[in-house]
Amino acid sequence: MDPRLHSALLVLASLLACTTATVSRSTYIVRVRPPPNFSTTHMSSINLETWYRSFLPPLVSTPRSATPFIHTYSEAILGFAVNLTKDEVEYVTNRDGVLKVYEDYLIPLLTTHTPDFLGLRPNGGVWSSAGMGEGIIIGVLDTGIDFSHMSFDDEGMKPPPSKWRGSCNFGDHVKCNKKLIGGRSLYGGSYPPSDSVGHGTHTASTAAGRSVEGASVLGNGKGTAAGMAPHAHIAVYQVCNRRGCYASDIIAGMDAAIADGVDILSISLGGKSMPFHEDALAIGSFSAMRKGIFVSCSAGNSGPLPSTVQNEEPWVLTVAASTVDRQMEAIVKLGDGRSFVGESAYQPSNLNSLQLVPEFGSEEVKGKVVACDLDGSRGQLQLGQTVHAAGGAGVIVLGKEESGQNTFAAAHILPASYINAMDAAKIREYMKNSDKPTASIVFNGTSLGTTPAPVVAFFSSRGPSTQTPGILKPDIIGPGVNIIAAWPFKVGPGAPGEKNMAFNTLSGTSMSAPHLSGIAAIIKSAHPDWSPAAIKSAIMTTAYVLDNNKKPILDEKLNPAGHFSIGAGHVNPSQAINPGLIYDTDEEQYISFLCGLGYTDSQVEIITSRKGACGAGRKITEAELNYPSIAVTARTGKLVVTRTVTNVGDASSSYTVDIEMPKEVTASVSPSKLEFTKANEKKTFTVSLTWDANGTNKHAEGSIRWVSDKHVVRSPIVIF
């Protein structure tokens, strides 16, 4: 059939359907190719919309309403989001200049002590030497923000930089300030981006909340709350609600943030692993990287299973979650004399010994302590609320097996304690074997300096990456367990205190990503000319791999954590500000990397907006990307790659290589010494690894370290 006749029939069918029945439409994202000599800077938004209408069937492009589009994009991608029928999708897909049409999909949402834990102190360390993110704009894509919260007061803040082009859409009676400089809602119509969920307020204050004295959760974890970059500016893009975040809204948020002039994007959300040309975050973040914007993303909360890591693209920083050295102790004492240390953010008077019963067993729960198994369908707060509603006097939340030694403090409404999986098994056994089991809960307040710390959170997603197994992901771990930060509502029973002083404790890689966003802002403020890859390298190569016991960082089962759990290690802000050497990577290398993965020219164009990018044999393997880590499958038996480092330390400096690999792996680096005589000088070296591909050991980990009198620049190596 003639294509023109086919298109005409589609339009006719659409017209007939609209006159005879309700048409089923869904939201689609349409990615288009720019026409020759196209530039969005020379085209008004009206002309852009007119051009986008040309891709639509006549019925859709001329609706009664002012515009058929949900969103139009010009920065993150060229294209638009629109509601279409299946037939209309086919019409649009066949239009010249359309690269791809995606059906919209939902992406899930994935402090008072953490600055001190990370060495960020007002009177010393990196805050004093490098500032607190002054002049840097962090764009937060999330559920919105509580603009009235004290964490976003602008006392002592300077005005935003002149490059800021964003808007403040909080309504007629709310003005932005020098801290919270912009806010927009990108879903559900033109509403103020106020936060009815809490997630966005929490993440924004973690990244860049101002210092607030006397912050606590129900009096616990009390101290001065501060974000990682308390002098950085915040711009909020509401792209999520309680259910999650639609890809079309996320792209709209990234599109707006790029146009507005942000320096950092903080994205605490992520979906299932998918090819980069189908992944809204991967596509939008590539455009951000091209504009020099650093992107920090959550690694996901699907651990501890392997190959669950999300946000796998190498041009973003993928952040896993770890514990800090603080516990809000709620000690469970059993009738047989044994005690187990759990956690709760609600610490009332001690609960005296009462009968201990399993949740809703054969006995009534009124006036008793109820032991509840934590499962995937209910959070611990829901368990506590259920027990409270049934008249229970207290609740012991029994950690599930996969959670290991991790414990989580929550703002309960009744006496409670979250017990780790190992101790939970002992409590279950006690209830099973005792005629009259009893328990009490003793609240011991907040303790600091607990060991070991950091420990990998059980929920933190692990590598290897599904899309790019030859790129070590996650990249880094940062604080993500029991993080105290701003909250838009009062919490706990009675919820004392003012609303604008409310704080809450949350756990997730959603909490770890904004920590790194703020740290990136500090680095960017000190080194405004550094690329996103340079900032990422500084964070990764200075990370530490020993805990506060000076032993290897452990996982949730207290086994040594591998690099697929911790990436390069735990973030170390005081060192990242001055890393000595960096591994830089530019857009051209990323494109060659995509071509090397086997993506077609059309697929690479969807990601990069570069037509015919893979021509002339332009491709490199994953291992050849100038990345600050090395990952390779064991079946190859050999790897020889080059890396290039740039001197960002003293002009005259010398580095000697130190190789740490198991004896089963033969490793060498050439040259073994790097001599620099000027700033920004580059040096290239070769890494050679050989091992028995047929041997029994299919996994090996180690590192190469470039050591000078002032710096240690470490890159992890994983053979798997």
Side-chain angles (χ1 to χ4, degrees):
M1 181 185 292
D2 187 298
R4 290 169 295 182
L5 177 59
H6 180 65
S7 295
L9 290 173
L10 281 174
V11 174
L12 179 59
S14 179
L15 283 166
L16 290 172
C18 282
T19 59
T20 59
T22 301
V23 179
S24 176
R25 283 188 163 87
S26 299
T27 302
Y28 290 85
I29 303 166
V30 180
R31 180 83 160 86
V32 301
R33 177 181 290 127
N37 303 316
F38 174 80
S39 172
T40 55
T41 59
H42 295 103
M43 178 176 278
S44 70
S45 60
I46 295 175
N47 289 339
L48 188 67
E49 183 172 309
T50 299
W51 174 47
Y52 286 160
R53 284 177 185 266
S54 69
F55 295 99
L56 297 175
L59 178 66
V60 180
S61 65
T62 55
R64 292 193 184 101
S65 59
T67 176
F69 301 112
I70 299 169
H71 299 296
T72 57
Y73 312 118
S74 61
E75 299 288 345
I77 64 170
L78 279 181
F80 50 88
V82 65
N83 287 328
L84 299 172
T85 67
K86 292 290 185 183
D87 286 342
E88 289 163 350
V89 167
E90 186 176 350
Y91 174 91
V92 173
T93 301
N94 292 325
R95 299 287 288 171
D96 287 341
V98 172
L99 283 169
K100 191 171 181 65
V101 180
Y102 317 78
E103 187 167 10
D104 204 4
Y105 54 94
L106 192 67
I107 297 175
L109 288 162
L110 283 275
T111 79
T112 58
H113 179 60
T114 49
D116 192 60
F117 181 66
L118 294 171
L120 298 171
R121 301 177 181 90
N123 299 317
V126 68
W127 270 357
S128 294
S129 62
M132 302 182 181
E134 188 173 296
I136 301 301
I137 304 167
I138 301 177
V140 180
L141 271 64
D142 216 295
T143 62
I145 195 167
D146 176 9
F147 48 79
S148 67
H149 200 283
M150 286 189 68
S151 291
F152 311 116
D153 186 272
D154 66 350
E155 182 181 355
M157 290 287 297
K158 293 184 178 179
S162 59
K163 69 171 185 172
W164 172 245
R165 300 180 294 274
S167 58
C168 178
N169 299 332
F170 285 105
D172 296 336
H173 304 293
V174 178
K175 304 293 183 185
C176 283
N177 59 26
K178 290 179 285 187
K179 161 59 74 175
L180 182 54
I181 61 174
R184 295 177 60 180
S185 179
L186 282 307
Y187 85 94
S190 301
Y191 301 107
S194 55
D195 186 7
S196 63
V197 180
H199 195 274
T201 299
H202 199 280
T203 57
S205 66
T206 299
R210 59 154 291 199
S211 296
V212 179
E213 295 181 2
S216 72
V217 180
L218 300 174
N220 295 289
K222 194 168 186 178
T224 299
M228 299 299 101
H231 286 181
H233 307 283
I234 298 172
V236 172
Y237 301 88
Q238 187 180 43
V239 298
C240 310
N241 58 23
R242 195 173 297 277
R243 292 180 57 213
C245 328
Y246 280 100
S248 58
D249 298 331
I250 293 169
I251 295 176
M254 299 178 86
D255 201 73
I258 294 169
D260 289 347
V262 306
D263 300 290
I264 311 288
L265 272 175
S266 188
I267 303 178
S268 290
L269 47 100
K272 65 180 182 179
S273 177
M274 61 179 69
F276 295 147
H277 68 283
E278 297 177 1
D279 187 337
L281 276 170
I283 296 168
S285 60
F286 191 94
S287 296
M289 174 276 301
R290 177 191 286 126
K291 300 291 179 64
I293 299 169
F294 181 91
V295 184
S296 175
C297 292
S298 300
N301 296 336
S302 300
L305 294 175
S307 295
T308 52
V309 67
Q310 301 166 2
N311 297 316
E312 303 154 81
E313 54 272 24
W315 46 87
V316 306
L317 184 75
T318 307
V319 188
S322 59
T323 65
V324 297
D325 64 342
R326 175 183 62 204
Q327 276 192 308
M328 300 178 200
E329 294 183 353
I331 301 168
V332 172
K333 292 187 175 183
L334 301 182
D336 63 4
R338 287 181 294 172
S339 296
F340 306 102
V341 179
E343 290 202 73
S344 175
Y346 175 46
Q347 303 241 332
S349 299
N350 295 341
L351 183 68
N352 294 327
S353 182
L354 294 170
Q355 186 176 354
L356 176 63
V357 297
E359 182 187 10
F360 305 131
S362 58
E363 299 175 285
E364 293 291 329
V365 303
K366 188 173 183 178
K368 299 170 184 176
V369 180
V370 185
C372 299
D373 285 305
L374 192 65
D375 57 42
S377 63
R378 301 172 300 175
Q380 60 163 319
L381 280 179
Q382 290 175 290
L383 288 175
Q385 290 162 355
T386 302
V387 170
H388 184 261
V395 63
I396 299 173
V397 180
L398 303 174
K400 49 189 177 181
E401 182 179 358
E402 60 264 35
S403 66
Q405 293 281 358
N406 290 166
T407 55
F408 302 93
H412 284 279
I413 59 172
L414 80 171
S417 180
Y418 183 110
I419 296 295
N420 72 43
M422 287 68 172
D423 293 340
K426 297 172 185 175
I427 292 175
R428 291 188 193 96
E429 189 68 20
Y430 167 69
M431 288 192 293
K432 179 181 177 182
N433 296 327
S434 176
D435 292 335
K436 293 183 178 180
T438 61
S440 60
I441 304 176
V442 177
F443 297 100
N444 204 34
T446 302
S447 66
L448 301 177
T450 56
T451 61
V455 170
V456 178
F458 87 92
F459 57 75
S460 186
S461 291
R462 311 308 209 250
S465 165
T466 302
Q467 300 303 321
T468 58
I471 299 293
L472 178 60
K473 289 283 182 171
D475 293 307
I476 199 80
I477 55 170
V481 175
N482 298 334
I483 302 305
I484 296 175
W487 197 245
F489 333 105
K490 299 175 184 180
V491 296
E498 297 297 325
K499 177 179 176 291
N500 67 358
M501 271 289 288
F503 289 82
N504 199 7
T505 172
L506 295 182
S507 299
T509 55
S510 281
M511 283 63 254
S512 53
H515 277 91
L516 272 296
S517 303
I519 291 166
I522 296 172
I523 299 171
K524 181 73 173 178
S525 180
H527 305 286
D529 59 331
W530 280 13
S531 69
I535 296 172
K536 179 200 279 193
S537 174
I539 289 169
M540 292 175 63
T541 61
T542 58
Y544 60 82
V545 293
L546 301 180
D547 64 21
N548 55 4
N549 286 330
K550 305 301 181 185
K551 295 181 179 179
I553 292 173
L554 304 176
D555 66 14
E556 72 286 345
K557 297 292 180 67
L558 300 188
N559 297 316
H563 285 296
F564 285 135
S565 299
I566 66 171
H570 192 280
V571 62
N572 187 353
S574 61
Q575 298 297 317
I577 199 73
N578 184 19
L581 304 175
I582 55 169
Y583 295 79
D584 210 352
T585 311
D586 59 16
E587 179 185 349
E588 300 303 318
Q589 267 209 34
Y590 289 128
I591 292 174
S592 297
F593 155 83
L594 290 168
C595 296
L597 285 178
Y599 286 108
T600 66
D601 271 351
S602 177
Q603 291 168 341
V604 173
E605 185 181 2
I606 290 169
I607 303 165
T608 69
S609 301
R610 191 76 66 87
K611 192 173 182 180
C614 298
R618 174 179 163 175
K619 60 180 64 176
I620 60 173
T621 65
E622 294 166 287
E624 291 175 305
L625 189 67
N626 198 44
Y627 213 69
S629 58
I630 295 173
V632 61
T633 57
R635 65 177 178 270
T636 61
K638 182 178 181 180
L639 179 69
V640 179
V641 291
T642 61
R643 289 286 189 270
T644 300
V645 289
T646 304
N647 178 29
V648 294
D650 294 340
S652 180
S653 53
S654 177
Y655 291 81
T656 303
V657 76
D658 178 32
I659 306 171
E660 295 179 345
M661 290 299 296
K663 64 179 185 302
E664 296 85 3
V665 180
T666 301
S668 64
V669 174
S670 179
S672 59
K673 193 170 186 177
L674 301 177
E675 300 277 359
F676 295 94
T677 58
K678 57 186 177 181
N680 297 314
E681 185 178 3
K682 297 182 183 294
K683 295 285 185 180
T684 298
F685 60 91
T686 300
V687 181
S688 300
L689 305 169
T690 57
W691 60 94
D692 183 2
N694 298 315
T696 56
N697 188 359
K698 299 297 184 183
H699 190 98
E701 295 192 359
S703 67
I704 54 172
R705 305 190 310 159
W706 289 105
V707 183
S708 73
D709 56 351
K710 293 183 178 179
H711 303 284
V712 176
V713 185
R714 183 182 184 276
S715 291
I717 299 173
V718 180
I719 301 169
F720 65 101

